[in-house]
Amino acid sequence: MSLTQVKPIDIRREALRIAGERVHRDEVIEVTYPYTGEVIGTVPKATLDDIRRAYRIARDYKPTLTRYERYQILMRAGEIIASRLDEISRVITLESGLCRKDSLYEVGRASDVLLFAANQALVDDGAVFSCDLTHHGKSRKVYTTKEPLLGVITAITPFNHPLNQVIHKVAPAIATNNRVVLKPSEKTPLTAFVLADILYEAGLPPQMLSVVTGDPREIADEMLTHPDVDLVTFTGGVAIGKYIAAKAVYKRQILELGGNDPIIVMEDADVEEAATLAASGSYKNSGQRCTAVKRMLVHEKVADQFVELLVRKTKALNYGDPMDPHTDMGTVIDEEAAIHFERVVNEAIADGAKLLAGHVRSGALYAPTVLDHVKPEMTVALQETFGPVSPVIRFKDIDEAIRISNGTAYGLSSSVCTNRLDYITRFVRELNVGSVNVREVPGYRLELTPFGGIKDSGLGYKEGVLEAMKSFCNTKTYSLPW
Ligand code: NAD
């Protein structure tokens, strides 16, 4: 394993940020660089008292930022992030093993989130309703106004985008004058602290954001049930999402859970384009995106051609040392995850799938892998495989494609490769998902636009800056006699 690109690592000993105050604890969680296993940092294990203090301070603080001040803070944070792009990308790569190309891309996305949230903070989306609309109407008007929540927002995020997952919760909260207690994933917690400091530096009143880390078995229930919590926004796996749904009783819940997104390639598709989308959708971010291409459903008439191109593109991918700027794909989050992919791929091969590329593991590094002749009921296709695995399933016609696509518990997003309007209209109507992208990867979106899934992928309440801002507000109406 060559480490030529890695500078000596200074271990970051992080502190909690309780309303901006740095709090150290003797008990810590180690954060490791998945490529080498080296410890690159530690974060404190918060106590229950730490958690309660964070909520108490947040509850007692009533934000008064004007729309313009919120805009300024978010824009300034974006400028600071842009000026520290390289450093932040390095932290993301160190704690996640994502390659520099992926972590640089992620920092760019975070800037977009800040830009959209800043601009949206300037928009007053209040509505006016005239009341003289029916025979018993009156000459008055009902007005709506959005108010921040009375209580506090609990935000819990996964490991796969250490910056972007966090910023998608924090920026809309700032734009709406809310207070947040954030718990990033204990696997990738360091970037969240970097972001919090940037926001404080940009002028955010520290009472509006606390960042806590710890063992979820010790602190998560308090974050879900504390009486001062009004809303829980969670991104992560289905199992924990459903646990939260049952635990956080009478709290508003935004749950963005797992996915098993297909790319569906019809017989009229541009097969070269489809294979390019399939490979990038499957391997970007080491395959660890909720909207990664996790199943490739290909019409039997073009399947051989598609598979040949996919294998070529897969083998051309440069995977390995995450710090090497030429690397296209780094590691997955840890060795345990890589061993899991190895296991489900072995199981598929034993059940008749054909291995055409990859399936080589070294620690947390797992080669981009192509499996052909996969059956929809095999674990590798039925369950979410949160890694760089491309299972190809062949189908005969659109009915079968839709049936297979809808045949898992998930319903996040999808990609369809065709130019036929009759096919496109059927896919848009009949796929049970939150998004359908024609001739684009399932993950395609603007950071502003509505995003989120149904079935086991979520409750249908969306994220994306606009929708998150709506969820984070109470709508108050008032009426006036003119
Ligand atoms: P995870 O569910 O294991 O962990 C997510 C977060 O939940 C972490 O911060 C963890 O500490 C916390 N947690 C653990 N136990 C908890 C508990 N009892 N109560 C409350 N919180 C608890 O997910 P992960 O492995 O970090 O991320 C991968 C998963 O996230 C995949 O399934 C992926 O599809 C999903 N994901 C979904 C989206 C989306 O927008 N739909 C985006 C990215 C990732």
Side-chain angles (χ1 to χ4, degrees), residues 157-159 165 183 186 220 234-237 256-258 290 384 386:
T157 53
F159 71 77
Q165 296 293 359
K183 193 199 79 56
E186 56 280 6
F234 170 81
T235 302
E256 299 295 342
L257 310 181
C290 51
E384 177 181 42
F386 207 57

Side-chain angles (χ1 to χ4, degrees), residues 51 54 98-99 128 133 211 273 280 302 339 386 454:
I51 303 293
L98 295 173
C99 68
V128 186
L133 304 184
V211 183
E273 178 187 82
S280 75
V302 291
I339 290 171
F386 207 57
I454 55 173

Side-chain angles (χ1 to χ4, degrees), residues 232-249:
V232 178
T233 172
F234 170 81
T235 302
V238 175
I240 295 172
K242 289 192 174 178
Y243 174 83
I244 291 173
K247 189 82 188 172
V249 177

